[in-house]
Amino acid sequence: MSNKLSDIVNFNPSRILKKGTVAPFIEMASLPTNTKFIKQIDEKPFSGGSKFKNGDTLFARITPCLENGKTGKVTNLKDEIIGHGSTEFIVMSAKEPEFDEDYIYYFARLPEFREFAQQRMVGTSGRQRVAWQDLADFEFIFPPKEQRKKAAALLNIYDQKIDLNTQINQTLEQIAQALFKSWFVDFDPVRAKVQALSDGLSLEQAELAAMQAISGKTPEELTALSQAHPERYAELAETAKAFPCEMVEVDGVEVPKGWEVKALDEIANYQNGLALQKFRPEDDEPFLPVVKIAQLRQGYADSEEKAKASIKPECIIDNGDVIFSWSGSLLVDIWCGGKAALNQHLFKVTSKRYPKWFYYFYTKYHLAEFQRIAYDKAVTMGHIKREHLSAAKCIVPNDELLANKTLENILEKIIFNRLENFNLQDTRDLLLPRLLNGEMIDA
């Protein structure tokens, strides 16, 4: 039979939290748009707003957050702890958590339910909201509760894998940035060699010191590695050998011998996007979605804005491209959201001479300084100029290290995981309506 959503959901249930109590706080910006778990949880004194606990689903009720899909499940609070957040969240709590806690989250992502919510938004333009009472009246033919539990468990497999890939990528990014800084900014392997030789040790011992600096292993651990994994030991030794044994001064900067000092815009081309309002497609004309700063930050284009597919190739981006927003919220990232047109406030970063990992990590290395420049001078929306790219210096290593695959392999793994996440999201969203209806679940 047909049921109302209020039959399985308690909307904005009563939670006890005294004013002034410091408690977990979730702001609207922390609510995800296309993933399940809420990662950013702060602490803040309670003064009013929504109240929730673990297992609750938070549903954004205000434009444009509702249209953008901001919905998440609360999972990171301690047992029985009450958190709080914006009044613009609708809290959806399962009447029978054992069966419906996850089902309600996925139901909140059901396209027909979200369309129902959008159609019932009221208020002035730009500040429209939907009331929880309207959502409570949504009618749906719910499958039996055991099937609801199974359906949510199947969908959760996809979100768990997405979350795992995201965590792996965060770790890989941290490892890669630390490694890049150690090798090409702090020159740890070179300095280890220099110190060993100045201490009167042999070149062979200096190479061993460099291997320790690269791997973080003790001499005993390196000996064990040579016996257990001789191929990995040989690869590490080859990498250590590629680092010079001497530091010299070049253009007033101390660098490893044989390395060069270049400007950031000498190691890569920073191609500006287009003012794409001048390139709107006709109704029947092929088009590309437009990527602005917001789309770069969320990782995918939403096709709300379109550009002619015939724009110059230099302003078209695709999976694996390095993109740098030089205006507003400065950000450097690898694009994995498919073929798209690039807006004028972003750079597509490429190089014919240097590998992607090198100019990607060097651009990221200089990002903090670029942000400082942009924000220091900002009146409305800060930005940097090309002269700042020319002033940002990079230390370019020898060809042997540029050809080293260590950082390239890490970057490729990050890209692979991101693309896999998009595939997982697409599959999950394709299955979601049928699973929620009970079509693919055995009784």
Side-chain angles (χ1 to χ4, degrees):
M1 66 177 181
S2 178
N3 307 108
K4 288 186 176 181
L5 186 54
S6 57
D7 291 339
I8 65 170
V9 175
N10 283 321
F11 286 89
N12 293 338
S14 176
R15 309 273 195 231
I16 298 175
L17 188 60
K18 293 183 179 180
K19 284 195 174 184
T21 302
V22 176
F25 175 80
I26 297 174
E27 60 180 338
M28 183 66 78
S30 299
L31 214 59
T33 58
N34 203 29
T35 54
K36 182 177 184 179
F37 305 106
I38 303 168
K39 298 298 183 182
Q40 182 65 38
I41 300 180
D42 302 310
E43 295 278 330
K44 186 175 177 179
F46 174 67
S47 60
S50 60
K51 291 175 284 186
F52 44 78
K53 65 179 183 178
N54 266 351
D56 288 347
T57 291
L58 304 184
F59 184 89
R61 72 187 190 104
I62 189 171
T63 187
C65 301
L66 193 158
E67 294 93 333
N68 293 341
K70 279 186 169 289
T71 307
K73 183 185 174 187
V74 182
T75 58
N76 291 333
L77 305 186
K78 294 180 180 178
D79 291 342
E80 305 307 319
I81 292 295
I82 303 301
H84 63 114
S86 170
T87 57
E88 306 299 355
F89 297 152
I90 292 175
V91 179
M92 303 170 66
S93 184
K95 290 185 174 181
E96 294 188 84
E98 178 187 353
F99 299 100
D100 290 326
E101 191 176 280
D102 278 329
Y103 183 87
I104 288 169
Y105 164 77
Y106 289 111
F107 195 90
R109 303 211 67 88
L110 186 68
E112 63 186 272
F113 173 66
R114 302 195 72 86
E115 183 179 353
F116 175 90
Q118 291 179 44
Q119 290 174 350
R120 282 153 182 79
M121 298 180 79
V122 295
T124 58
S125 178
R127 300 295 292 177
Q128 291 186 314
R129 298 169 174 83
V130 64
W132 70 262
Q133 292 88 345
D134 288 327
L135 301 187
D137 287 337
F138 182 79
E139 294 188 352
F140 191 78
I141 302 175
F142 294 110
K145 58 186 180 182
E146 289 288 354
Q147 291 188 31
R148 299 199 298 265
K149 183 177 180 179
K150 289 180 181 178
L154 288 172
L155 291 168
N156 192 52
I157 292 171
Y158 291 91
D159 277 303
Q160 291 285 1
K161 176 58 176 171
I162 290 168
D163 190 53
L164 176 61
N165 282 348
T166 301
Q167 291 181 43
I168 289 171
N169 273 5
Q170 290 170 347
T171 301
L172 289 174
E173 181 79 24
Q174 291 170 359
I175 290 171
Q177 289 197 47
L179 192 61
F180 179 85
K181 185 174 183 294
S182 174
W183 288 15
F184 303 113
V185 177
D186 298 333
F187 318 124
D188 290 334
V190 178
R191 296 189 187 281
K193 286 188 178 183
V194 171
Q195 185 62 49
L197 293 174
S198 70
D199 290 343
L201 300 179
S202 66
L203 180 59
E204 182 180 355
Q205 290 170 314
E207 298 288 357
L208 183 63
M211 292 172 69
Q212 288 179 248
I214 294 168
S215 66
K217 296 182 181 297
T218 64
E220 293 76 20
E221 289 172 333
L222 287 175
T223 298
L225 180 67
S226 68
Q227 296 170 350
H229 303 282
E231 70 291 342
R232 285 169 53 189
Y233 183 88
E235 183 179 339
L236 178 59
E238 191 67 22
T239 300
K241 187 177 180 180
F243 285 92
C245 299
E246 184 179 349
M247 298 289 292
V248 298
E249 189 173 298
V250 176
D251 297 334
V253 180
E254 189 183 35
V255 302
K257 186 176 182 179
W259 293 18
E260 299 178 274
V261 179
K262 290 183 178 290
L264 193 59
D265 58 359
E266 288 183 290
I267 69 168
N269 176 49
Y270 290 77
Q271 172 64 52
N272 232 74
L274 295 171
L276 293 169
Q277 64 268 25
K278 299 177 181 178
F279 299 90
R280 300 295 185 217
E282 301 295 334
D283 289 341
D284 58 348
E285 192 174 7
F287 70 89
L288 293 170
V290 173
V291 173
K292 296 183 177 181
I293 296 171
Q295 286 73 40
L296 178 62
R297 186 168 292 281
Q298 72 185 14
Y300 59 91
D302 45 30
S303 296
E304 286 188 6
E305 291 196 51
K306 302 173 182 178
K308 293 181 179 181
S310 58
I311 61 173
K312 60 182 182 179
E314 293 87 351
C315 297
I316 295 175
I317 61 173
D318 210 340
N319 293 334
D321 285 339
V322 177
I323 309 299
F324 174 26
S325 66
W326 53 268
S327 176
S329 179
L330 273 67
L331 172 69
V332 181
D333 208 352
I334 304 290
W335 179 252
C336 292
K339 197 171 182 181
L342 195 66
N343 177 263
Q344 61 185 334
H345 293 292
L346 299 101
F347 287 130
K348 176 182 178 181
V349 190
T350 59
S351 178
K352 294 181 180 179
R353 168 70 177 86
Y354 298 102
K356 181 185 298 182
W357 62 263
F358 187 66
Y359 59 81
Y360 169 67
F361 285 113
Y362 244 127
T363 305
K364 291 206 81 166
Y365 171 73
H366 286 293
L367 183 61
E369 175 63 11
F370 291 152
Q371 290 172 334
R372 186 195 65 77
I373 293 169
Y375 300 154
D376 280 355
K377 299 182 180 299
V379 177
T380 53
M381 185 169 68
H383 64 274
I384 63 165
K385 300 178 180 179
R386 286 192 176 272
E387 64 192 55
H388 298 123
L389 298 175
S390 299
K393 300 303 179 184
C394 309
I395 311 303
V396 181
N398 49 45
D399 288 343
E400 292 92 337
L401 286 170
L402 286 172
N404 187 280
K405 298 294 184 183
T406 302
L407 284 162
E408 179 180 317
N409 290 341
I410 295 176
L411 200 58
E412 286 183 352
K413 178 60 176 174
I414 291 172
I415 293 171
F416 176 86
N417 285 343
R418 285 194 183 182
L419 293 175
E420 183 179 52
N421 274 0
F422 279 115
N423 288 332
L424 290 167
Q425 290 169 10
D426 288 344
T427 304
R428 176 201 64 197
D429 294 345
L430 184 66
L431 294 174
L432 187 145
R434 297 180 64 187
L435 285 168
L436 295 186
N437 278 298
E439 293 179 22
M440 303 174 68
I441 302 295
D442 293 329

